[in-house]
């Protein structure tokens, strides 16, 4: 028979009951209401069972149609008695009740385990355990309504003889209510007839010393017990079962590495039947054993009793594979606790919360490290080391990385090699293409303007200003097996074809500087139609404590423009000699083509004119639109509260800086001031650790050269552009502090949006290069 009840979401739960030999089976399926219809076979009941529809669904033998293997399965023993007898004289009969769960495809394995556990605990809660079959099934149906990821639940009841000396599972007799049942979590894995390992995050091994499984394959079943995710060639014990055409088995060190132990095992595997195996290892990594059956220690097939110290390692992950001509079906069983015997103490709750907070911090750090490394990829071990994650916690870390993969926030460019994605799951129009080398773009597809950023949030902000975006992820592996990557995002701003790229993380080492110069050379070499290069990043303002017209504050924009026709747009201080007065060793640059400077002056003139303040300036519109898009995925891009923009000055006679007010415009220029909107200032940009981090030298150096802001040290990038064939170059800095852009992160995302929006206005003001008579002009 079948019955249904509407769930909270409007779907219907169908109940079907059948009999298979001496087993009673009740199956609950979630279905849409439209599938019920007004069938003449349905019978609507009344009274206490109102709302239940009965329908015949079994075959002529009373059996239900077969279904596939469940995702999770658990069972317990229930002892029943006739309700008409008292407790003292009652005779109990024992029955095994098995509950199987099937989940929707979108349910992850952790979600499946969690929901099955919660369902099971609620169902067998001793204080509210149903006292008869009807109540038991009714509660099962009602509980299913609370777990929308479940698509099917099946309850099987089998009578069993009671045995002396106790029993396994959970007895619901009054004297045995506290016994704990096992939950059997079945993990099924299908491997193709190819030697290609599949990692199993569902089977944790980092805090265990054994694993049991069953395999159905004709030959070549491989199990890799690895130290690090993604690396099955090194620091891995590889177990080969039924290798060499199902005649031998072996233990190797490393995937397809040297054989350490081998044995003749003819006919070990079977293509038509499951064969069970166990693997055990010592906690110190000194030994490894493999045997047949589900009982560890019996029928040992392979034994590596003394692993050399140089080859010993902890086992943190497991992967499986089969070989050519032999697809495989694997089944792993994880036994999980279902009922908590005692309630959590305050200390345990605090420890649980503390672990959750720590893991949240570690996950945040992992994402930050991926963003810092971008566009370079990073392997799992490096990422965990940078994020202070122990190798024993690799399972949780890899599950988190896989979640980032599903959300479109990360890419796995190779096994165990990760890259922060240049886009996100909400930006469906942004296409990603994986390539081994950058294809040459010609004609109207060739970019003419390059936008270079330093931080990942700057790249995000700049890409938001573009349309028709395609990100090319160029990934290769060198002769040492090291993965290398870079990312170019090609799109459009107005009539201009754009390419944006992010430099690798800024550092002081000469090798990093050389790497950045090389990245610029590659950029200009690959995109041979480039006419302009704009460096769009964040920086630190040079404040003016008395003149509003020269003052810069957080959220404003500074653009590199020479103060005189022959003056520099960029100044670097490499050294300071201190005497009666400071002597600065400097290098200066200016662009041969002043197209960017001309457009910047035009935009500035509009911004300070009375008419330019009657409506939103163009970059303010772009900034608002960009913030709206970015806040959908990251709330860091909002404008921080104005009270966080504190200005300090070192006054004469004071040892420490004191808090001062920002200057305000005079009454006749008050029209030029709008609260919480970015202002623009033009002038040379400076850099140099010798001056940028010492207040007195910083202000003196800025006064000598008319510097309006400092960046974090991009002189080698500017030099690489100036020494290339590109003659038009400029910098746009979003102000996030009063140092060099590295003091605090609070204002960086918002400042990045402000810089990107003004850069968009600059690009739209540049002359468009059109295709004419076979050449660009």
């Amino acid at each position: 028979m079948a019955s249904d009840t509407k769930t909270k979401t409007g779907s219907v739960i169908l109940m079907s009951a059948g009999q298979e030999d001496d087993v009673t089976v009740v199956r609950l399926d979630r279905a849409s209401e439209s599938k019920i219809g007004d069938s003449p076979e349905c019978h609507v009941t009344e009274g206490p069972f109102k709302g239940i529809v009965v329908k015949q669904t079994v075959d002529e033998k009373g059996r239900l149609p077969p279904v596939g293997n469940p995702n999770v399965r658990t069972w317990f023993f229930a002892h029943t008695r006739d309700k008409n007898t008292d407790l003292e004289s009652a005779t109990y009969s024992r029955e095994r009740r098995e509950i199987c769960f099937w989940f929707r495809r979108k349910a992850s394995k952790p979600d499946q385990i969690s929901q099955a556990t919660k369902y099971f605990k609620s169902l067998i809660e001793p204080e509210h355990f149903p006292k008869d079959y009807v109540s038991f099934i009714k509660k099962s149906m009602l509980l299913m309504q609370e777990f929308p990821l479940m698509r099917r639940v099946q309850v099987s009841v089998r009578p069993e003889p009671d045995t002396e000396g106790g029993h396994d599972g959970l007895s619901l007799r009054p004297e045995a209510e506290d016994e704990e049942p096992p939950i059997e979590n079945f993990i099924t894995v299908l491997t193709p007839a190819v030697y290609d390992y599949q990692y199993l995050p569902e089977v944790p091994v980092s805090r265990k010393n054994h694993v049991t499984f069953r395999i159905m394959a004709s030959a070549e079943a491989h199990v890799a017990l690895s130290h690090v995710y993604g690396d099955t060639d090194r620091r891995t014990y590889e177990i080969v079962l039924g290798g060499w055409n199902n005649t031998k088995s072996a233990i190797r060190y490393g995937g397809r590495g040297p054989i350490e132990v081998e044995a003749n095992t003819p006919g070990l595997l079977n293509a038509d039947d499951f064969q069970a195996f166990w693997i055990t290892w010592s906690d110190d990594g000194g030994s490894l054993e493999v045997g047949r059956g589900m009982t560890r220690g019996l029928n040992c097939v392979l034994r590596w009793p003394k692993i050399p110290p140089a080859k010993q390692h902890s086992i943190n992950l497991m992967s499986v594979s089969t070989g050519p001509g032999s697809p495989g079906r694997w089944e792993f069983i994880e036994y999980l606790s279902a009922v908590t015997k005692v309630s959590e103490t305050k200390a345990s709750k605090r420890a649980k919360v503390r672990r959750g907070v720590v893991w949240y911090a570690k996950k945040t750090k992992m994402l930050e490290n991926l963003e810092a490394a971008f566009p370079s990829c990073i392997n799992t071990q490096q990422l965990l080391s940078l994020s202070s994650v122990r190798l024993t916690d690799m399972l949780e870390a890899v599950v988190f990385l896989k979640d980032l993969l599903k959300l479109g926030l990360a890419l796995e460019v190779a096994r165990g090699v990760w890259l922060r994605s240049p886009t996100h799951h909400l930006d469906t129009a942004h296409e990603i293409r994986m390539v081994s080398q950058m294809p040459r773009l010609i004609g109207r597809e060739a970019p003419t303007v390059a936008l270079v950023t330093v931080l990942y949030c700057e790249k995000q902000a700049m890409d938001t200003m573009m349309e028709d975006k395609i990100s090319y992820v160029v990934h290769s592996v060198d002769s040492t097996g090291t993965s290398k990557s870079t990312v170019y995002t090609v799109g459009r701003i107005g009539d201009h074809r754009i390419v944006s790229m992010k430099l690798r993380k800024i550092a002081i080492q000469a090798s990093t500087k050389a790497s950045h110069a090389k990245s610029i050379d590659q950029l200009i070499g690959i995109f041979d139609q480039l006419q302009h290069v704009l460096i769009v990043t964040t920086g630190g303002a040079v404040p003016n404590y008395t003149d509003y017209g020269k003052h810069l504050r957080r959220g404003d924009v500074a653009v590199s423009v020479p103060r005189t026709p022959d003056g520099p747009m960029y100044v670097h201080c490499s050294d300071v000699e201190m005497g009666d007065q400071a002597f600065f060793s400097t290098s200066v640059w200016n662009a041969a083509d002043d197209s960017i400077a001309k457009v910047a002056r035009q935009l500035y003139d509009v911004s300070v004119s009375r008419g330019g303040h009657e409506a939103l300036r163009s970059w303010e519109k772009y900034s608002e639109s960009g913030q709206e898009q970015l806040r959908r995925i990251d709330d860091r891009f909002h404008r921080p509260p104005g009270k966080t923009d504190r200005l300090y000055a070192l006054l004469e006679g004071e040892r420490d800086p004191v808090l001062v007010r920002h200057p305000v415009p005079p009454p006749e220029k008050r029209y030029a001031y709008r609260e919480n909107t970015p202002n623009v200032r033009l002038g040379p940009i400076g850099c140099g650790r010798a001056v940028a981090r010492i207040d007195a030298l910083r202000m003196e150096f800025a006064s000598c050269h008319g510097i309006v802001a400092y960046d974090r040290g991009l002189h080698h990038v500017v030099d690489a552009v100036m020494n290339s064939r590109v003659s038009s170059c400029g910098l746009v800095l979003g102000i996030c502090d009063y140092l060099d852009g590295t003091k605090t992160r609070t204002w960086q995302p918002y400042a990045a949006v402000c810089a990107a929006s003004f850069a968009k206005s600059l690009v739209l003001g540049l002359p468009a290069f059109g295709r004419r008579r076979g050449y660009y002009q």
Side-chain angles (χ1 to χ4, degrees), residues 486-659:
T486 191
V487 179
Y488 300 108
T489 300
V490 178
R492 179 176 55 82
I493 294 179
D495 293 331
H496 295 273
R497 291 293 293 174
I498 308 295
V499 57
S500 79
M501 67 167 289
K502 175 189 172 293
L503 296 172
R504 286 160 178 81
K505 186 176 181 180
I506 283 288
I508 303 304
Q509 292 83 357
S511 59
T512 304
K513 297 178 181 180
S515 173
H516 288 173
K518 183 179 179 181
S519 296
I520 295 298
D521 292 340
Q522 290 177 341
L523 172 72
I524 296 174
I526 292 172
F527 302 98
D528 54 9
Q529 298 295 330
L530 287 178
Q531 304 292 326
H532 310 278
V533 175
L534 263 179
I535 301 169
V536 186
T537 183
T538 51
V542 176
N544 191 299
Y545 301 102
T546 57
D547 189 348
Y548 171 81
K550 297 178 181 179
H551 182 59
L552 271 172
R553 58 188 300 176
R554 289 183 173 97
D556 289 346
V557 176
V559 187
S560 60
V561 174
R563 293 202 177 273
T564 64
D566 298 328
M569 61 166 250
Y570 194 86
V571 186
H572 169 241
C573 179
S574 57
D575 191 22
V576 181
E577 293 183 14
M578 300 299 295
D580 294 337
Q581 61 182 7
F583 177 76
F584 302 103
S585 299
T586 62
S587 301
V588 298
W589 292 267
N590 196 8
D593 183 344
D594 65 348
S595 299
I596 293 175
K598 286 180 179 179
V599 177
R601 290 191 185 99
Q602 292 170 4
L603 293 172
Y604 175 76
D605 291 342
V606 171
S607 72
V608 297
S609 67
R610 187 177 296 273
H613 283 264
E614 293 177 355
L616 284 179
R617 294 166 288 190
S618 61
W619 58 88
E620 292 176 356
K621 297 177 183 178
Y622 305 144
S623 177
E624 289 186 359
S625 174
Q627 288 180 67
E628 184 179 349
Q629 293 182 54
L630 291 166
R631 282 198 296 258
R632 295 165 59 197
I633 59 166
D634 195 332
D635 59 4
R636 296 177 301 169
F637 286 93
H638 69 278
R639 181 182 175 93
K643 64 182 180 181
T644 63
D645 183 16
R646 295 181 176 181
L647 181 63
Y648 291 87
L650 186 60
L651 302 181
E652 188 176 353
E654 298 287 343
R655 297 182 57 184
D656 299 318
V658 297
L659 181 65

Side-chain angles (χ1 to χ4, degrees), residues 684-729:
I685 303 298
C687 76
R689 290 178 67 87
V691 294
R693 294 175 176 270
I694 303 173
D695 286 341
L697 291 177
R698 187 175 187 274
M699 297 302 292
E700 184 177 349
F701 185 69
S703 177
C704 291
H705 297 277
I707 292 170
V708 296
Y710 287 87
D711 68 24
R712 62 193 66 213
L714 298 175
H715 55 283
H716 48 286
V717 178
V718 174
D719 186 66
V721 176
M722 295 298 187
N723 290 316
S724 71
R725 60 173 180 78
V726 177
S727 57
S728 176
C729 176

